[in-house]
């Protein structure tokens, strides 16, 4: 990918699923990738497999810990020039049963996690006159889903942040975008399938079909497909693309 060779890219939540696929794609394109996450083992495994150059333990809900992780990464691989704010989590609950703590947890990781990640790298990017920032949001940032009001609210907040920040940075050499995957073949979705099976008695196949019924292609998105969209947004050819929320969802959102 043109424009990524030698660039230092930071991927939060990079130990598995979409984050690991993004890290591997950036590495293959010539970037020097640092992945962060809360658990050592998957991050270490990704690095040992060649999917990233290094890793640091950090929870994106803790700005001080994340700041220290970024400092460590910068000391080893230079200023962060590409940020992929991927870390996230989902909880399901009927709105009438979703207490304020559910909303707080969803905003802390999905929205404030992006805020903390961007704030940890934006200053040096601005000084350098170059940066690529991509938030991994969700189709839940573009539409509503039943039983996920807190998650949808947080992901909608991410889209608003991206659009506002893109305007603030438009003349700085920095682009800010979001990718919005539909249901993707990850551990998170597998856990959702398991919950549906446990609650309804459906088979796993029936539960998965229920999740993808709004996808015109009738299938789960792959992490690699999301990674390809991120890769393009981070490359030189996407220099005029900013403030966008690109759905990777088989036509579910248009």
């Amino acid at each position: 990918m043109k424009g990524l060779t030698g660039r230092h890219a930071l991927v939060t939540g990079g130990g598995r699923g979409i984050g690991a696929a993004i890290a591997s794609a950036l590495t293959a394109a010539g970037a020097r990738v640092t992945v962060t996450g809360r658990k050592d083992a998957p991050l270490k495994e990704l690095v040992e497999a060649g999917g990233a150059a290094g890793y640091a333990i950090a929870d994106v809900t803790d700005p001080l810990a994340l700041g220290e992780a970024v400092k460590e990464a910068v000391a080893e691989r230079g200023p962060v020039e590409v940020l992929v704010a991927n870390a996230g989590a989902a909880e399901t609950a009927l709105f009438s049963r979703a207490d304020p703590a559910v909303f707080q947890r969803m905003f802390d990781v999905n929205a404030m996690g992006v805020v903390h990640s961007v704030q940890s790298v934006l200053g040096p990017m601005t000084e350098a006159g170059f940066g690529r920032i991509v938030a991994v949001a969700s189709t839940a940032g573009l539409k509503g889903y039943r039983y996920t009001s807190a998650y949808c609210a947080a992901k909608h907040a991410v889209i608003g942040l991206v659009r506002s920040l893109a305007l603030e940075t438009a003349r700085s050499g920095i682009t800010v975008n979001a990718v919005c995957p539909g249901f993707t073949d990850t551990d998170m979705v597998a856990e959702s399938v398991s919950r549906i099976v446990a609650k309804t008695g459906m088979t796993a196949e029936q539960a998965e079909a229920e999740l993808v019924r709004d996808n015109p292609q009738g299938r789960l998105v792959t992490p690699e497909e999301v990674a390809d969209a991120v890769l393009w947004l981070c490359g030189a050819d996407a220099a005029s693309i900013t403030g966008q929320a690109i759905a990777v969802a088989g036509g579910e959102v248009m």
Side-chain angles (χ1 to χ4, degrees):
M1 174 65 67
K2 185 168 65 175
L4 283 171
T5 301
R7 299 282 190 194
H8 182 191
L10 177 71
V11 181
T12 68
R16 60 178 187 164
I18 291 173
I22 291 169
S24 297
L26 288 167
T27 296
R32 292 171 293 127
V33 178
T34 301
V35 287
T36 70
R38 294 179 299 170
K39 297 180 180 179
D40 183 274
L43 299 172
K44 183 178 180 181
E45 182 177 338
L46 181 67
V47 171
E48 291 176 346
Y55 72 94
I57 303 298
D59 186 331
V60 295
T61 67
D62 183 342
L64 294 179
L66 183 61
E68 288 302 312
V70 171
K71 287 180 182 178
E72 178 184 329
V74 168
E76 295 180 4
R77 283 170 284 282
V80 175
E81 298 159 291
V82 174
L83 168 68
V84 182
N86 167 74
E91 291 187 37
T92 58
L94 189 68
F95 177 78
S96 60
R97 298 177 183 174
D99 62 26
V102 173
F103 279 83
Q104 190 65 61
R105 287 194 296 271
M106 290 297 92
F107 269 82
D108 283 346
V109 64
N110 292 303
M112 292 308 298
V114 177
V115 171
H116 299 324
S117 299
V118 173
Q119 289 182 333
S120 72
V121 301
L122 185 59
M125 282 184 179
T126 303
E127 292 175 7
F130 176 86
R132 295 286 186 268
I133 297 172
V134 181
V136 178
S138 167
T139 49
L142 300 172
K143 59 177 284 189
Y145 290 92
R146 296 177 181 86
Y147 314 122
T148 57
S149 55
Y151 179 73
C152 285
K155 289 298 188 179
H156 272 70
V158 171
I159 302 303
L161 172 65
V162 163
R163 290 170 174 163
S164 295
L165 188 56
L167 293 175
E168 291 187 21
T169 60
R171 298 193 180 189
S172 67
I174 299 169
T175 64
V176 187
N177 293 287
V179 293
C180 301
F183 286 104
T184 304
D185 190 8
T186 63
D187 291 344
M188 184 184 294
V189 168
E191 291 164 4
S192 295
V193 168
S194 295
R195 285 194 296 270
I196 293 171
V197 169
K199 290 180 179 180
T200 68
M202 290 182 181
T203 67
E205 291 76 14
Q206 290 170 330
E208 183 177 310
E210 181 68 16
L211 292 179
V212 303
R213 67 177 178 174
D214 291 332
N215 181 331
Q217 293 182 341
R219 65 177 180 85
L220 295 175
V221 177
T222 71
E224 291 73 22
E225 289 170 324
V226 182
D228 283 344
V230 172
L231 196 64
W232 173 66
L233 289 170
C234 294
D237 292 337
S240 66
I241 311 301
T242 195
Q244 303 304 302
I246 299 174
V248 184
E252 179 180 349
V253 179
M254 297 184 181

